[in-house]
Amino acid sequence: MHIGELAERTGLSHRTIRHYDDVGLLPATRTEGGFRVYTATDCERLLAIRSLKPMGYSLEEITHVLEAIDAVTASPEDAAARAGLAALQEELTARREKLARNLRQADELLESLRDI
């Protein structure tokens, strides 16, 4: 698929997708004419990136997350890769819990403001 379709499927801008290509986070394959083309796997990867950004991950940290996922995908029986993925899952869980706590606090604030 071309960048426009990928942008539509993911809700991300062309500019963001190009930036991820430029920094090596989501390298595109190029046609002979120089157009970026992406696969369904690239789309899945971009959706993962999109999910990690609001969790506070930097692009460098996202690169490490994707590398951990790629390592397990490439060698599902690799104990070290599995351990890295398990550590990642724990970290993601902790970040998610923090976001949920912050959201509850924001909801409480909004409710208290309604009562004024």
Side-chain angles (χ1 to χ4, degrees):
M1 74 190 84
H2 287 103
I3 194 168
E5 184 178 350
L6 184 63
E8 187 174 315
R9 285 187 183 191
T10 61
L12 295 171
S13 68
H14 292 74
R15 182 178 179 202
T16 297
I17 296 169
R18 282 189 211 98
H19 177 67
Y20 291 163
D21 182 14
D22 292 342
V23 300
L25 198 56
L26 187 74
T29 304
R30 301 272 184 161
T31 65
E32 286 184 24
F35 293 100
R36 292 173 169 91
V37 289
Y38 298 91
T39 64
T41 301
D42 294 328
C43 185
E44 290 173 21
R45 191 173 185 93
L46 188 54
L47 290 171
I49 295 166
R50 186 186 72 180
S51 296
L52 290 165
K53 283 297 292 173
M55 294 182 76
Y57 283 87
S58 68
L59 294 183
E60 184 178 333
E61 290 170 322
I62 291 172
T63 298
H64 294 300
V65 170
L66 296 175
E67 287 170 351
I69 293 168
D70 291 344
V72 172
T73 302
S75 300
E77 304 302 320
D78 183 339
R82 286 266 167 216
L85 186 60
L88 170 63
Q89 288 170 320
E90 287 180 28
E91 182 184 338
L92 282 166
T93 299
R95 286 189 187 218
R96 187 203 174 282
E97 288 170 356
K98 181 179 179 184
L99 287 170
R101 192 170 45 253
N102 290 344
L103 184 56
R104 282 191 303 275
Q105 291 170 351
D107 288 343
E108 289 169 6
L109 175 61
L110 286 169
E111 190 61 35
S112 71
L113 293 175
R114 286 185 192 111
D115 294 337
I116 295 177

